[in-house]
Amino acid sequence: MAIFFLVWVLVLPFVIPCKYSLAGSVSCPFRANWLNCNMAKYENKTKETDASVTEFIDSVDSEKKREDAYRLLEIMGELSGEPAKMWGKSIIGFGSYHYKYESGHEGDSLRLGFSPRKAKHSLYLMSGFDGYEEIMSRLGKYKTGKSCLYINKLADVDEEVLKELILASLKWMDEKYPRS
């Protein structure tokens, strides 16, 4: 039994690659915790780019989706006070913040954003929706994910209530991740 343990702890960590770890600080199942994992850290694929926001919106097939996208661009830009930037190939973001998890994983993400997807508009409210039940009850027709608000068209929701929700999310973000 002792020989098996020594092989497991001293030999296998150098033979089996550390493919199960996404971040260097996450321990690998085949390595003892005191051994350093040499696997590259996870890198966020959705990053701010220099692509043109208006060119992206103009490339949206549906005229109604384009109109809604320009209105969301106006609303989010006004409420956030931040310029619109492309994040990845299809997300329009306003402002950014730096996060760091207990695992050691860290990166940058958008404070607020949206994407005019074919099926529905995806609005990215990083605060999530816990604690906003009263606002959500007045919003209109929508679906949610963890931090995503999905709407078919802007006319399906009350624009003033949407603004209230966006401002609440931005306030939460400013408290959790103060702007520099």
Side-chain angles (χ1 to χ4, degrees), residues 12-21 28-31 37-39:
L12 285 180
F14 301 100
V15 176
I16 299 174
C18 181
K19 65 182 179 181
Y20 297 100
S21 176
C28 306
F30 298 109
R31 293 178 186 234
C37 176
N38 294 320
M39 181 69 176

Side-chain angles (χ1 to χ4, degrees), residues 45-56 83-93:
K45 293 177 186 171
T46 307
K47 296 179 181 179
E48 187 178 315
T49 71
D50 292 328
S52 168
V53 170
T54 54
E55 284 180 21
F56 168 67
K85 301 277 188 174
M86 289 301 300
W87 284 74
K89 295 180 181 179
S90 62
I91 297 174
I92 300 166

Side-chain angles (χ1 to χ4, degrees), residues 58-76:
D58 289 342
S59 73
V60 172
D61 291 336
S62 165
E63 182 179 341
K64 184 61 183 150
K65 287 259 190 249
R66 280 194 307 274
E67 289 173 9
D68 284 354
Y70 275 113
R71 182 65 187 132
L72 287 168
L73 184 69
E74 184 180 333
I75 291 169
M76 290 186 172

